[in-house]
Amino acid sequence: MKMNTMTFRSLTMLAFSLLIFSCNGKKEQQTEEANEETVVEQDSLLPLNRLNLPEGFKIEIYAKGLDGARSMAMGDDGTLFVGTRREGNVYAVKDTDGDYKADKMWTIASGMTLPNGVAFKDGSLYLADVSRLLKYNNIENELDGPSEPELIYDDYPEALHHGWKYIAFGPDDKLYVPVGAPCNICDSTMVDERYATITRMNADGTDREIVARGVRNTVGFTWHPESKELYFTDNGRDMMGDDVPPCELNRVTEMGQHFGYPFCHGGTIADPEFGDQRPCSDFVPPVQNLGPHVAPLAVKFDTGSMFPESYKGHAFIAEHGSWNRSKKIGYRIMLVKLDANGNATSYEPFIDGWLDEESQEAFGRPVDLLFLQDGSLLISDDVGDAIYRVTYQG
């Protein structure tokens, strides 16, 4: 059957129009998916059956596909904001159907330098890069395309070594921001007194001051639910051997206290390079010495109604895990039990199994902890690229 010229031209134009529509449709779809995309669950890729939990507890995937998931902050409308260190992205995920599994994900910032720290207050997301702090106003209503952030400050030290920050608002409504030492071991305060400290400020960046000194590198802190005292983890120095020094859990009871770095470690161990300058008796000892090189990050207290009463008022710690021991340790969630005076009485595993003891391979490294309103516990993992949810079923 022959096709006349007019029919051929019409069909050709129709096919060309359909091709243009198809390409434009794909472009629009790709643009939309760059801002919002469904979180794909990949439970089978993470062997959660290898994890050891106390009787009655259960761990599941809350969100997957967040490359290098690190610090977490929860928004007022249920949006979980997740900072990263590896890729320079900041994510938002949301459980829109109430099944405690995130089903939507947005990349709200990219191309940043170690945007580890996130905090949420009064509808705004605060995001800490190495030397600057940004504020995203009305963020939960602008997840598809956030407005240009407000610059709070850009004058903190720029050193990348221990430059990533964990930030949080305290019970005094101040924003707490640490500044890690720019080295393994050095007296960095000779360069800038803010190094090896925890600072705090108003939400607009004013009235900045130093809260604690002698803090090598804290990437996690919180406040006791009753005393309101600041508790923080600190990563011990390297290159003193497999078992020395310990990492630390510390408590601030007065403004400006000094916790030993670089002169003293673990409350009693003089540093081989700086220990002859000041005695350990000059400094505040740890509440609890943790394992050597376990890289403790987040610390949180359980104040919810889900976990048994025996866990209330005690400190959960995410140990990221060692990289500098002949045999790795850490890669677990630990529990430090405290007495009525806030002093440690025990240090024991809560969840472990991310590290295979025989092969020395780990499928995950815990980073941050966050308790949800229902009392369940979220754990971020920057190797598994996941957020886990721990529940107690009794």
Side-chain angles (χ1 to χ4, degrees):
M1 177 179 178
K2 292 185 177 181
M3 186 181 298
N4 62 44
T5 303
M6 184 64 69
T7 301
F8 178 77
R9 286 178 178 175
S10 298
L11 289 175
T12 301
M13 290 300 295
L14 177 60
F16 184 70
S17 298
L18 288 173
L19 178 62
I20 294 288
F21 177 82
S22 175
C23 291
N24 287 338
K26 286 181 180 179
K27 287 181 180 179
E28 290 175 3
Q29 182 181 10
Q30 289 170 352
T31 302
E32 179 181 351
E33 288 178 353
N35 292 327
E36 178 180 335
E37 54 190 76
T38 301
V39 175
V40 179
E41 295 182 25
Q42 302 178 46
D43 299 46
S44 61
L45 299 182
L46 294 170
L48 301 189
N49 60 317
R50 284 172 42 184
L51 298 178
N52 305 304
L53 293 85
E55 185 176 354
F57 285 88
K58 182 179 181 181
I59 188 167
E60 300 175 288
I61 299 292
Y62 179 84
K64 190 72 179 72
L66 297 107
D67 195 9
R70 299 265 307 177
S71 295
M72 300 181 288
M74 183 62 74
D76 294 334
D77 294 334
T79 308
L80 181 68
F81 298 96
V82 184
T84 65
R85 194 181 69 178
R86 189 165 61 233
E87 297 297 330
N89 293 338
V90 179
Y91 301 105
V93 297
K94 199 165 187 176
D95 166 24
T96 62
D97 57 9
D99 65 350
Y100 291 102
K101 291 182 182 295
D103 48 72
K104 293 292 183 181
M105 179 173 72
W106 297 261
T107 300
I108 59 174
S110 60
M112 304 189 72
T113 305
L114 309 178
N116 181 87
V118 288
F120 192 90
K121 183 176 175 58
D122 298 332
S124 297
L125 174 68
Y126 292 77
L127 174 59
D129 219 331
V130 172
S131 62
R132 60 181 181 154
L133 180 71
L134 304 175
K135 178 184 178 184
Y136 290 82
N137 295 307
N138 197 34
I139 184 64
E140 288 189 282
N141 293 321
E142 298 185 352
L143 295 174
D144 290 324
S147 301
E148 196 70 21
E150 174 186 348
L151 178 66
I152 302 298
Y153 67 70
D154 61 356
D155 59 350
Y156 263 40
E158 298 180 352
L160 297 182
H161 195 112
H162 298 152
W164 54 93
K165 292 172 172 55
Y166 175 91
I167 62 174
F169 281 94
D172 54 5
D173 287 332
K174 299 274 190 177
L175 181 62
Y176 286 67
V177 180
V179 183
C183 55
N184 172 36
I185 187 74
C186 61
D187 190 358
S188 52
T189 58
M190 302 296 290
V191 178
D192 189 322
E193 70 165 351
R194 294 172 297 180
Y195 278 127
T197 68
I198 299 174
T199 68
R200 73 176 180 182
M201 65 195 72
N202 296 327
D204 62 0
T206 59
D207 295 333
R208 285 181 272 174
E209 58 186 341
I210 293 175
V211 176
R213 301 177 185 273
V215 182
R216 180 177 178 270
N217 183 35
T218 180
V219 197
F221 45 80
T222 192
W223 290 264
H224 191 280
E226 294 183 5
S227 70
K228 308 304 179 185
E229 292 173 333
L230 176 66
Y231 282 73
F232 68 90
T233 60
D234 197 9
N235 286 246
R237 66 155 290 179
D238 302 316
M239 310 310 172
M240 282 181 64
D242 272 6
D243 300 319
V244 180
C247 293
E248 302 173 1
L249 173 66
N250 293 290
R251 172 179 59 172
V252 179
T253 57
E254 295 178 8
M255 281 286 293
Q257 287 177 315
H258 198 297
F259 292 86
Y261 177 86
F263 312 102
C264 178
H265 312 288
T268 60
I269 303 170
D271 186 81
E273 297 178 52
F274 294 92
D276 59 350
Q277 298 182 22
R278 295 183 64 179
C280 285
S281 57
D282 281 358
F283 310 113
V284 180
V287 169
Q288 175 68 52
N289 280 337
L290 309 177
H293 310 297
V294 295
L297 302 185
V299 53
K300 290 290 180 355
F301 292 98
D302 172 29
T303 58
S305 59
M306 179 181 288
F307 287 13
E309 190 65 27
S310 59
Y311 290 94
K312 299 294 184 292
H314 302 309
F316 292 80
I317 296 176
E319 293 186 349
H320 199 223
S322 62
W323 59 268
N324 50 354
R325 290 183 90 249
S326 56
K327 185 176 182 180
K328 295 177 181 177
I329 57 172
Y331 304 86
R332 60 197 179 188
I333 307 298
M334 298 295 286
L335 179 67
V336 175
K337 292 189 175 181
L338 306 173
D339 63 18
N341 297 317
N343 300 312
T345 59
S346 67
Y347 168 56
E348 59 196 45
F350 176 64
I351 304 174
D352 62 14
W354 279 283
L355 174 68
D356 186 307
E357 298 286 351
E358 293 186 5
S359 69
Q360 290 284 282
E361 296 294 327
F363 73 87
R365 299 184 79 184
V367 178
D368 200 9
L369 306 172
L370 188 152
F371 280 95
L372 296 180
Q373 287 187 350
D374 71 338
S376 60
L377 174 64
L378 297 186
I379 303 170
S380 64
D381 174 358
D382 65 353
V383 167
D385 300 331
I387 309 287
Y388 310 104
R389 177 171 175 257
V390 178
T391 55
Y392 179 74
Q393 299 175 326

